[in-house]
Structure formats: structure tokens, C-alpha cells
Amino acid sequence: MIEFELGCLSIKISEEVFEKMKSFIQDENHKAEAGGILIGHYLEDNNYSITDVSSPSEFDKSSRFNFTRSKKNAQKIINKIFKDSKGKKIYLGEWHTHPEDFPTPSGLDKKSILEQIRGNILNSEIIFMLIIGRKGFYISYVEKTGIKTEKNIKFEEF
């Protein structure tokens, strides 16, 4: 289990989930961006656990510097996991890769994550944006009022 603090929040990501996201690292020039959704639990007292992520699907669009996931396909995944977990596992945000050692979100990344939290009915007041780079990852938590705490973490820290 990978654990870290993000402002006032405590985040846990299962090793399996973390390795699944890292398997899409853009470590060669021909590799396109990849991404999906983050699913997990709000435990209590600002503790979150990311237990599942979706992988890119044939319905997504991607290129070297862009990833657009299929909303319809993502919703099917969210609905199934929510139902199978009897409402315990919920949508917690988005993840994707960048062809950078230590990624930073683009303007489009920020706009997209804010549209997610402001434009949808969610089971959480907070969602996350996670970007996997070649040597580390970026994570932030997002509320309707905007992007809050942001952090860059080196893979070697785990």
C-alpha cells in the first residue's frame, strides 16, 4: 500500500493500482497518453483509498500529447463497480500519463477536472487528478471551488 499526505487529506493507493497506472508510462516516443478513472473509498476523517482504476479502452482517443476518455464507457465501469461493492466504491477522479519526467497539468487538464466536479452529480465532495510521468507523479485534490493542494512525488519515494 502506498500512503501519503495531500494537504489535510490522507491518501492510500493499492500497489496493484499504482503498478497498473505505471505500466502505461510514456517512456518511448511512440507511446500515446493513456488514462482512466480513479475509484475507491472515502474512509473517514479525510482518509481516501484508491482501490481501482480503469485502463484505456478502444472507445478512448489518445495521441502523444492528449488523452480523452469515453464518458459512456467510464460511466458503465463506475456503475458496475458501485453496484458490485454495494455502494462502497465510488468515483474519485481521473488519471492519465504525460511524456514528462515529473508531470504538471496542462490548462486543458485543469479545465477538464473542474468540469467533472462541477458538472456531475458525484458521491464525493472531493475528487483527484493524478498524472503519471516517467520518474514521478502529480496529484491534486479538487473541490467545486477549484484545485486545492497539489503535490509532485518521485517514484523512488515508495
Side-chain angles (χ1 to χ4, degrees), residues 81-121:
I81 292 175
F82 184 80
K83 183 180 177 193
D84 291 350
S85 71
K86 297 181 175 41
K88 291 185 177 142
K89 290 186 180 183
I90 60 172
Y91 169 83
L92 286 178
E94 305 284 326
W95 78 272
H96 68 281
T97 62
H98 272 193
E100 305 171 273
D101 287 346
F102 301 101
T104 56
S106 67
L108 181 59
D109 291 336
K110 291 178 180 182
K111 180 177 180 259
S112 296
I113 199 71
L114 289 169
E115 286 174 355
Q116 285 299 324
I117 196 155
R118 293 174 179 162
N120 296 300
I121 298 168

Side-chain angles (χ1 to χ4, degrees), residues 13-156:
I13 304 175
S14 78
E15 285 282 347
E16 183 181 331
V17 162
F18 195 61
E19 290 304 317
K20 186 174 183 179
M21 290 185 290
K22 283 176 62 179
S23 74
F24 294 99
I25 289 174
Q26 291 178 267
D27 52 2
E28 295 176 19
N29 288 338
H30 70 276
K31 289 188 177 179
E33 283 193 11
I37 52 175
L38 303 170
I39 296 172
H41 306 278
Y42 168 69
L43 302 168
E44 62 186 27
D45 299 328
N46 291 327
N47 288 292
Y48 289 82
S49 178
I50 297 170
T51 59
D52 300 88
V53 291
S54 68
S55 294
S57 77
E58 62 187 286
F59 306 107
D60 301 326
K61 294 184 175 98
S62 66
S63 67
R64 179 76 175 148
F65 301 104
N66 191 313
F67 176 80
T68 306
R69 70 164 175 74
S70 161
K71 291 179 181 169
K72 189 175 181 180
N73 190 57
Q75 192 61 56
K76 282 183 185 176
I77 293 166
I78 293 165
N79 292 349
K80 180 174 181 0
I81 292 175
F82 184 80
K83 183 180 177 193
D84 291 350
S85 71
K86 297 181 175 41
K88 291 185 177 142
K89 290 186 180 183
I90 60 172
Y91 169 83
L92 286 178
E94 305 284 326
W95 78 272
H96 68 281
T97 62
H98 272 193
E100 305 171 273
D101 287 346
F102 301 101
T104 56
S106 67
L108 181 59
D109 291 336
K110 291 178 180 182
K111 180 177 180 259
S112 296
I113 199 71
L114 289 169
E115 286 174 355
Q116 285 299 324
I117 196 155
R118 293 174 179 162
N120 296 300
I121 298 168
L122 305 175
N123 291 315
S124 177
E125 298 290 316
I126 291 172
I127 60 173
F128 300 94
M129 175 170 46
L130 193 149
I131 306 172
I132 299 286
R134 292 185 295 246
K135 295 182 179 179
F137 68 97
Y138 162 95
I139 188 166
S140 62
Y141 78 84
V142 183
E143 296 176 342
K144 286 188 179 180
T145 56
I147 295 172
K148 300 303 177 188
T149 303
E150 303 174 274
K151 191 171 195 173
N152 284 290
I153 302 172
K154 296 177 182 177
F155 292 143
E156 63 196 39

